[in-house]
Amino acid sequence: MSSGETIKTATGYVRFKDGVLDPEGLTIQKSLATMGYDKTRSVRTGKFFEIELADDSAEARRQLEEMSEKALANPVIESFKIVWP
Amino acid sequence: MKFAVVTFPGSNSDHDSYSAIRTLGEEVSYVWHQDAGLSGFDCVILPGGFSYGDYLRGGAIARFSPIMEAVREFAADGGLVAGFCNGFQILVESGLLPGALMRNDSLRFRGQWAHLRVENNQTAFSNRFATGQVIRIPIAHAEGNYYNIPEDIERVERERRVVFRYCDRGGAVTERSNVNGSINSIAGIVNDSGNVLGMMPHPERATELILGSADGLKVFESMREHQHQLSDGAAA
């Protein structure tokens, strides 16, 4: 490893598209209300992935975009967002 | 007639599917997910279970297994493909069937008997039923909630590609009889060429009365009937 090389970690966020029912989120929000947190209007759940990349080349970025579209999110019901370091 | 039952790591209903075909009286072989080909088979079954532990999403990783390229080609050539439960999930994840399978609206795993109404008996998988017939098939899933965007659902309905719907024992399709919240109570559909079926219930677990119902056997009989009609047509 050459001096000055840093680890590149991108974060991918997957969430349900608007209009897709999220019963887990609904249940969590109801439970929160029962616990006394009555200022929450809604909760939607999702996933995040921390992806460590070999480098921050254009190829690494292209791969990350493609894997997000093809595997990490199901485009019928989910949308994704990549946050770069 | 030769059936292939694909086994993925975590598949558990491959054995039930194998038994169902033996009950039907036809030849059947297991095909490992890393095998490259499906030559010599008339029908491919993608069985139920928890392939890859349902990691990421049910069926999301299995769709990248080497065998799926052969399944894709087999389906494109018109071969019969039937996916049950996890098999249905693998088919939607691979785009061989439209839509997605989400968490049951109850958030509970449902392992129980379900009543299904046969919506269309003009398919390769339902020709041995009568349209409107009510059958009893078990379900065992936590992510069986079928969903698609309204315009795609309308298309599937318009093209009569819904094969089975959840109903009550009298055949009425109600909110209460919908075991998992599936849109339009859809339990099973076929693709546009009618050779690929996906259904969440397990017909392979309802093939003998001793199991509680033999209604599922007719799904396999229908596939055989379809295959025989094709051969007769070819010979004519």
Side-chain angles (χ1 to χ4, degrees), chain B residues 138-160:
Chain B
I139 59 167
H141 59 251
E143 282 89 29
N145 183 349
Y146 183 72
Y147 175 84
N148 205 344
I149 57 175
E151 61 200 66
D152 288 356
I153 291 288
E154 271 158 36
R155 190 163 92 91
V156 168
E157 293 282 3
R158 201 170 54 243
E159 294 174 3
R160 303 207 58 232

Side-chain angles (χ1 to χ4, degrees), chain B residues 39-80:
Chain B
S39 60
F41 291 105
D42 303 296
C43 176
V44 177
I45 309 258
L46 300 187
F50 298 88
S51 60
Y52 296 94
D54 278 358
Y55 290 169
L56 188 59
R57 294 179 304 278
I61 298 177
R63 70 166 266 223
F64 292 112
S65 280
I67 195 68
M68 287 308 292
E69 192 42 51
V71 172
R72 202 177 291 280
E73 275 169 30
F74 185 86
D77 287 342
L80 292 183

Side-chain angles (χ1 to χ4, degrees), chain B residues 201-218:
Chain B
H202 290 271
E204 78 285 13
R205 295 182 187 172
T207 56
E208 298 172 70
L209 283 177
I210 198 173
L211 295 172
S213 166
D215 293 342
L217 190 61
K218 285 196 166 53

